[in-house]
């Protein structure tokens, strides 16, 4: 049987990028091979995001485009199945079925391991929907990626260690679409990381909606805090860099701070969303921390690891946000000094408590505040990048650049760094002396020669999987 073509389009967070890979791994034994475009695909999966209204509306416009492709496929005498997965599927399952007859399967994030059965059910019953939150751990049912798939995906990989959220911030849909907080056992995480490392992965990003709330069962039968997991993973041969996203300021335990002090592999760059600098708004958001609590957490990280840098998420125009609340946010940003940050206009999400709050902020005020905040963040990011000029910084090389002879990697702070070198350096961490800067990218020369006799074992096309959009 010729291979069947699978196209997956992911929206939103890193969790979705990871889930897309797991869906591809689940469908590989059925003969599906990934393809870059929806045209000509036998199966198209839209892996959706529900976090803001704009994100979920994109799905319906994409389905409109796919309808034409599906009709063309039928005229060509071949079929095309369309699956809606992810958080819009979870939140609006029945609505999708009603609004978009072109969809064959709707599947929530906890049920990806049932995809082959759901496709079979759609064939016999017309359509299939599964948006349960099964008690069983879906990870236990998802197949491991093949060696070939790991190598094709490059030297950086995501590993989910925690899913769901019990925090119930009043603006957020995650507790409703991803369910209650659950952590994977330590042994399973170690198995995944070992397997990735054995197949050439050098950098692991541990992901979870609330990753530092991790409390998976350890080898001693007790729940391990996140920091302890990091110590364990840092000892796995082949892993040279560890990252994690997204963390919550309330769950920063001492073991995590200690890990930043002790582990060279743990990168000194932390995404720690604060959302607002106003205590009044933080309380209305149910963040359960104040701006001062956040400042103190940042100080603990900095005391342990002076070269650490931070990124954050901000929401402007949350209901009731007055000028002085927004001024408090600008003041906090000014005090912390971020290397990067994401800021969003508040988007009311049906079913969340904030959606019923009356004191809405006008669109004009939101727009104006967003521009002001983004300008401040941009200037901080540029200033941070300029500090790299003339310095020698470790870079993990992960892919060929656009120009012949150019290789690109990432600094500890995720800045792309370009050098002229052989692609044998892909997979190595090498010091780079930074000579120039173009917007967010650094350019320089290798400050020491690569280790000889260590050829790259990756497909030259394999690239890092980092996203520069909002984190998990
Ligand atoms: N768990 C993370 C935390 O507590 O910070 C955040 C996860 S959320 C998937 C990513 C970001 O989307 C949030 O930090 C927030 O800034 C933004 N976000 C979530 N809901 C939103 C909403 N209703 N309107 C605007 N932005 C929102
Ligand atoms: Fe949970 Fe983060 Fe959403 Fe708050 S913003 S409910 S902590 S996922």
């Amino acid at each position: 049987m010729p291979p069947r073509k699978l196209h997956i389009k992911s929206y939103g967070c890193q969790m979705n990028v990871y889930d897309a890979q797991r869906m591809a791994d689940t469908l590989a034994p059925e003969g599906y091979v990934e393809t870059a475009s929806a045209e000509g695909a036998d199966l198209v999966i839209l892996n959706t995001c529900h976090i803001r209204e704009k994100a979920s509306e994109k799905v319906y416009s994409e389905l409109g485009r796919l309808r034409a492709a599906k009709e063309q496929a039928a005229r060509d005498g071949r079929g095309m199945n369309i699956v809606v997965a992810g958080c819009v599927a979870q939140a609006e399952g029945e609505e999708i079925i009603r609004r978009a007859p072109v969809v064959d399967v709707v599947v929530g994030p906890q049920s990806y391991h049932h995809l082959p059965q759901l496709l079979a059910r759609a064939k016999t019953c017309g359509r299939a929907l599964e948006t349960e939150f099964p008690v069983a751990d879906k990870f236990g049912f998802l197949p491991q990626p093949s060696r070939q798939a790991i190598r094709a995906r490059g030297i950086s990989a995501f590993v989910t260690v925690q899913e769901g959220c019990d925090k119930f911030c009043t603006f957020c849909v995650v507790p409703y679409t991803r369910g209650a907080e659950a952590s994977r056992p330590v042994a399973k995480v170690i198995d995944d990381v070992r397997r990735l490392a054995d197949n050439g992965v050098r950098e692991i990003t541990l992901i979870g909606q609330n990753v530092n709330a991790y409390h998976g069962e350890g080898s001693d039968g007790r729940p391990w805090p996140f920091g302890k997991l990091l110590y364990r993973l840092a000892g796995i041969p082949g892993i040279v860099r560890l990252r994690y996203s997204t963390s919550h300021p309330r769950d920063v335990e001492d073991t995590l701070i200690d890990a930043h002090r002790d582990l060279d592999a743990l990168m000194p760059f932390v995404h720690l969303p604060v959302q607002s600098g106003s205590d009044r708004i933080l309380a209305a958001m149910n963040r359960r921390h104040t701006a001062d609590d956040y400042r103190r957490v940042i100080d603990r990280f900095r005391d342990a690891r002076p070269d650490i840098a931070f990124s954050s998420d901000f929401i402007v125009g949350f209901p009731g946000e007055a000028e002085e609340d927004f001024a408090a946010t600008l003041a906090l940003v000014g005090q912390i000094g971020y290397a990067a940050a994401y800021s969003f206009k508040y988007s009311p999400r049906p079913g969340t408590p904030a959606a019923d709050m009356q004191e809405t902020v006008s669109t004009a005020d939101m727009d104006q505040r967003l521009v002001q905040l983004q300008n401040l963040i941009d200037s901080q990011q540029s200033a941070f990048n300029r500090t790299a000029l003339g310095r020698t910084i470790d870079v993990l090389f992960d892919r060929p650049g656009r120009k012949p002879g150019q290789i690109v990697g990432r600094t500890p702070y995720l800045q792309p760094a370009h050098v002229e070198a052989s692609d044998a350096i892909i997979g190595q961490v090498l010091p780079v002396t930074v000579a120039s800067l173009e917007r967010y990218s650094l350019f320089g020369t290798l400050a020491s020669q690569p280790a000889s006799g260590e050829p790259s074992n990756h497909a030259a096309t394999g690239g890092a999987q980092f996203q520069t959009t909002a984190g998990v």
Side-chain angles (χ1 to χ4, degrees):
M1 190 175 66
R4 294 189 277 181
K5 290 185 191 161
L6 163 68
H7 176 68
I8 307 182
K9 182 162 183 175
S10 271
Y11 302 83
C13 66
Q14 290 168 339
M15 190 71 94
N16 267 7
V17 177
Y18 175 88
D19 281 350
Q21 293 177 349
R22 296 290 79 79
M23 285 190 264
D25 296 335
T26 304
L27 292 164
E30 310 286 312
Y32 284 100
V33 174
E34 278 193 83
T35 176
S37 125
E39 272 69 41
D42 301 290
L43 174 60
V44 177
I45 301 179
L46 299 184
N47 191 18
T48 61
C49 171
H50 198 247
I51 201 80
R52 285 169 288 278
E53 192 182 359
K54 237 194 208 159
S56 49
E57 271 311 311
K58 272 188 199 155
V59 179
Y60 292 102
S61 41
E62 188 62 30
L63 286 172
R65 280 191 286 277
L66 284 176
R67 193 177 64 190
K70 187 168 179 163
E71 284 165 1
Q72 184 59 48
R75 282 194 292 277
D76 295 344
R78 47 181 194 86
M80 177 193 266
N81 282 313
I82 296 178
V83 173
V84 177
C87 292
V88 178
Q90 186 65 44
E92 299 180 14
E94 301 284 350
E95 165 98 356
I96 296 168
I97 295 279
R98 194 179 55 73
R99 264 178 79 174
V102 69
V103 174
D104 301 287
V105 171
V106 174
V107 58
Q110 306 305 323
S111 309
Y112 295 151
H113 51 297
H114 292 155
L115 260 173
Q117 293 88 318
L118 289 168
L119 285 164
R121 205 190 307 160
K123 220 177 212 167
T124 49
C125 313
R127 309 175 87 186
L129 166 81
E130 186 168 320
T131 52
E132 301 295 305
F133 279 127
V135 187
D137 163 23
K138 80 167 174 186
F139 296 105
F141 296 95
L142 289 170
Q144 290 278 7
S146 67
R147 293 169 68 88
Q148 205 185 8
I150 295 174
R151 284 165 185 265
R153 287 171 190 161
I155 58 138
S156 293
F158 293 134
V159 172
T160 294
V161 298
Q162 179 279 335
E163 217 184 316
C165 183
D166 296 338
K167 294 272 191 295
F168 290 92
C169 299
T170 53
F171 53 81
C172 185
V173 289
V174 167
Y176 312 97
T177 56
R178 291 278 176 166
E181 238 172 62
S183 299
R184 297 178 68 204
V186 171
K188 287 195 177 176
V189 177
I190 293 174
D191 278 357
D192 279 9
V193 173
R194 273 215 188 104
R195 189 177 153 82
L196 291 163
D198 288 349
N199 288 289
V201 168
R202 297 288 163 260
E203 174 174 70
I204 299 286
T205 303
L206 303 174
I207 54 174
Q209 265 90 21
N210 210 341
V211 73
N212 57 330
Y214 178 85
H215 55 269
E217 189 188 322
S219 45
D220 49 7
R222 298 202 180 150
W224 277 25
F226 185 57
K228 193 165 175 184
L229 176 71
L230 288 168
Y231 277 96
R232 181 67 187 77
L233 298 181
I236 293 181
I239 296 304
V240 296
R241 284 186 170 183
L242 285 172
R243 302 180 183 277
Y244 58 90
S245 189
T246 292
S247 33
H248 193 289
R250 264 183 69 94
D251 293 322
V252 177
E253 286 187 289
D254 286 344
T255 41
L256 177 56
I257 300 288
D258 292 348
H260 275 282
R261 184 194 59 213
D262 296 339
L263 301 177
D264 287 341
L266 186 56
M267 290 296 99
F269 188 37
V270 175
H271 185 60
L272 195 67
V274 64
Q275 315 298 353
S276 169
S278 153
D279 287 346
R280 210 173 63 82
I281 296 298
L282 287 170
M285 287 176 164
N286 191 32
R287 289 291 291 180
R288 291 184 270 174
H289 61 78
T290 62
D292 269 347
D293 293 335
Y294 182 82
R295 288 185 192 94
R296 277 192 287 272
V297 171
I298 296 274
D299 287 346
R300 284 164 66 210
F301 275 110
R302 283 187 168 146
D303 287 347
R305 184 80 204 234
D307 61 344
I308 204 161
F310 297 93
S311 62
S312 183
D313 292 342
F314 294 92
I315 295 179
V316 300
F318 185 81
E321 186 188 69
E323 277 303 333
E324 58 265 30
D325 297 308
F326 179 62
T329 299
L330 293 178
L332 181 75
V333 173
Q335 286 153 5
I336 305 291
Y338 288 100
Y342 308 98
S343 39
F344 312 100
K345 284 190 276 186
Y346 168 67
S347 167
R349 308 306 293 129
T352 59
D356 296 329
M357 294 180 184
Q358 302 301 317
E359 264 187 280
T360 54
V361 174
S362 74
T363 310
D365 281 347
M366 273 202 225
D367 287 341
Q368 189 254 325
R369 288 176 197 175
L370 189 70
V371 170
Q372 216 180 327
L373 179 58
Q374 287 184 339
N375 285 343
L376 176 59
I377 291 165
D378 274 358
S379 67
Q380 290 193 342
Q381 184 166 12
S382 302
F384 180 78
N385 287 340
R386 279 197 300 278
T387 63
L389 284 171
R391 282 177 53 212
T392 298
I393 302 176
D394 279 349
V395 171
L396 172 58
F397 289 96
D398 56 42
R399 63 187 187 276
R402 287 211 194 110
K403 295 191 184 143
Q406 196 178 53
I407 306 295
V408 188
R410 297 273 179 174
T411 70
Y413 308 104
L414 287 179
Q415 298 142 307
H418 302 63
V419 296
E420 303 279 319
S422 132
D423 66 5
I425 69 168
I426 291 175
Q428 294 187 34
V429 176
L430 294 168
V432 170
T433 305
V434 179
S436 63
L437 172 68
E438 266 176 40
R439 214 170 144 68
Y440 302 114
S441 292
L442 309 179
F443 294 81
T445 49
L446 289 181
S448 77
Q449 287 312 302
S452 57
E454 196 186 320
S456 152
N457 52 6
H458 278 280
T461 50
Q465 308 283 330
F466 292 113
Q467 297 214 128
T468 47
T469 55
V472 172

